[in-house]
Amino acid sequence: MLKAFKYRLYPTQPQLRDLDRTLMLCRSLYNAALQERREAYRKAGKTVGFYEQKRYLPEIRTELPEYKGVHSQVLQNVIERVDRAFQGFFRRVKAGQKAGYPRFKGKGRYDSFTFPQAGTTGVKLQGGGKRVLLYGIGSVKVKLHRPLEGRLKTATVKREGEHWYIVFTCEVEPRPLPPNDQAIGIDLGTNPHFLVTSEGERVEAPRYFQKAQAKLAAAQRSLARKKRGSNRRKQARKRVAKLHRKIANQRRDFHHKLARKLVNHYGTIAHEDLNILGLAPSRTAKGVLDAGWAQFLAILAYKAEEAGRRVIGVDPKHTSQDCPVCGHREKRPLWVREYTCPQCGTLLHRDVAAARNILARARTEPAGTWAAWAVP
Ligand SMILES: [Zn+2]
């Protein structure tokens, strides 16, 4: 299985210029390849494929010498990205979904380049992992805050605001945890709960994370007050972007820790299937957290696979309406958090009940066969 390792790069001033130039060249190539496909499609109704476009690359490197400073496989990867954008577009069209035509990348909208075979060419770790030699850039200082594992496959060099990072993907052997027959259901919670478990545990997003969000809101208000085109607006925008990144990092960190905890303790973890959840209008009140959940569930699935655990997505329909003890179904407004089941008299917490229904569904047992429980 593949595992990603992200490290900060510390380029010198000349290296910074080379990194920016590489991005610029990749972006130009991306837009040119996109343009060619658009025109071929518009004029002749035909599609230009990946291999067809790839064949031009040596020619481009001869005619535009600045492209010699970029590794040929990095350029191939640019063509591959265009190809992927089109494939995604055609797939969405075919599925009858709303599909935007692949777009040109503006400045600042293209922020990474990839060495697709970093294990063999283009990238080399040096000095016991203190530096990394990048084709076209040179030997760049890197901080491996955790050790790289497995067999190196790809390396992506990435700009985030003013910082640069390198993301290695490596092939690693799964490390199964000892077998565990404990099972848990999780309900993706309503604010302030990130999730609620079938055992009644309510997990909140960490305090510092909530604080950072309040800070971000303040920074955004301040940005809105600054005059367009002014220097202070530029500063304010930088501050907002920085806070965004900080929050994204904190969120990811929180997701990793929570997923790790669940995977360590339970052999089976059941959750609502987000693809189905997206269609349920009653859940729009939870919408604000959606993006976070998708990432969390992806991390959870990944860690579970690595550890040999089971993660099951179930149809979330009615999970927040059914009584997990007797199966009585009743619609309740979202603000009703705790209630007594009119049929069996059990005192229930809405999200905990939902988590228990989710777990029951994963077990494909009727929820009612479980022992009765009270709200913890
Ligand atoms: Zn009941």
Side-chain angles (χ1 to χ4, degrees), residues 323 325-328 341 343-346:
C323 168
V325 179
C326 70
H328 173 73
C341 172
Q343 192 166 295
C344 69
T346 312

Side-chain angles (χ1 to χ4, degrees), residues 241-252:
K242 203 171 165 182
L243 280 166
H244 263 301
R245 279 196 303 278
K246 187 173 168 188
I247 288 174
N249 287 340
Q250 285 178 339
R251 185 193 287 130
R252 195 178 317 108

Side-chain angles (χ1 to χ4, degrees), residues 196-311:
V196 175
T197 74
S198 53
E199 292 179 354
E201 193 185 347
R202 293 162 217 186
V203 181
E204 285 192 26
R207 254 312 125 77
Y208 59 76
F209 179 64
Q210 293 176 24
K211 252 192 219 161
Q213 274 184 320
K215 250 191 196 165
L216 173 66
Q220 276 166 333
R221 281 195 299 275
S222 153
L223 170 65
R225 284 196 301 268
K226 300 282 185 292
K227 231 166 86 184
R228 279 181 157 276
S230 71
N231 224 340
R232 301 184 69 177
R233 188 182 170 88
K234 218 167 131 188
Q235 292 300 323
R237 196 180 308 119
K238 262 190 195 162
R239 197 173 136 70
V240 166
K242 203 171 165 182
L243 280 166
H244 263 301
R245 279 196 303 278
K246 187 173 168 188
I247 288 174
N249 287 340
Q250 285 178 339
R251 185 193 287 130
R252 195 178 317 108
D253 192 53
F254 166 60
H255 289 168
H256 270 285
K257 284 186 178 136
L258 185 55
R260 166 59 49 209
K261 201 172 131 192
L262 287 168
V263 165
N264 281 352
H265 285 88
Y266 301 94
T268 303
I269 302 157
H271 64 77
E272 300 149 280
D273 189 328
L274 272 190
N275 295 323
I276 305 171
L277 187 68
L279 302 173
S282 65
R283 292 306 182 96
T284 44
K286 288 181 166 190
V288 275
L289 288 169
D290 268 357
W293 287 336
Q295 176 180 280
F296 170 71
L297 293 179
I299 291 172
L300 182 65
Y302 167 83
K303 285 200 193 306
E305 191 196 342
E306 189 184 27
R309 304 297 208 207
R310 267 200 319 168
V311 170

Side-chain angles (χ1 to χ4, degrees), residues 35-54:
Q35 169 85 5
E36 191 194 21
R37 287 196 184 214
R38 284 172 82 132
E39 278 180 4
Y41 190 67
R42 225 183 37 216
K43 283 184 188 151
K46 64 170 192 154
T47 47
V48 182
F50 170 63
Y51 292 99
E52 219 174 325
Q53 290 199 312
K54 206 174 91 168

